[in-house]
Amino acid sequence: MKEIKTTKAPGAIGPYSQAIEVNGLVYTSGQIGIDPATGAIVEGVEAQAHQVCKNLTELLKAAGTSMDNVVKTTVFIKDMNDFGTVNGIYAQYFTEPYPARSCVEVARLPKDVLVEIEVIAEK
């Protein structure tokens, strides 16, 4: 098991790793819309969805892989009415064949953000 760390994605805000590599797979912790340069949460669901995907891109890059190698995603959104918006932005970061995905509406996310995504990628 190998810990993956980068300053180009937000640091862990609790007792967990940004990502872990094991047996040729990279498991990321859920990423939220924090700009790692400022530590601030970006405003609005569109900006947050883009920032989440940028953070995931940087984490996977640090692990020596990319969004093209993602096999599974889990998307958490605060309001299912934002599904279309988040889905449209999500589609800009992934290519066919698209990863398997779950998407659920949740009552509350860390720091009251609007979207969080975690991924599993092949190395």
Side-chain angles (χ1 to χ4, degrees), residues 38-107:
T38 65
I41 297 170
V42 298
E43 294 293 323
V45 70
E46 288 183 30
Q48 286 186 20
H50 277 293
Q51 188 64 56
V52 165
C53 289
K54 289 174 188 174
N55 293 342
L56 287 166
T57 298
E58 290 298 335
L59 263 180
L60 294 175
K61 184 177 176 183
T65 189
S66 72
M67 297 288 261
D68 291 337
N69 294 321
V70 172
V71 296
K72 172 72 169 89
T73 68
T74 306
V75 180
F76 306 94
I77 56 177
K78 182 173 170 96
D79 185 345
M80 197 55 82
N81 291 317
D82 290 331
F83 177 83
T85 300
V86 172
N87 198 51
I89 293 164
Y90 175 100
Q92 295 174 35
Y93 292 88
F94 294 97
T95 57
E96 291 188 40
Y98 297 112
R101 177 178 77 181
S102 301
C103 180
V104 295
E105 179 182 79
V106 295

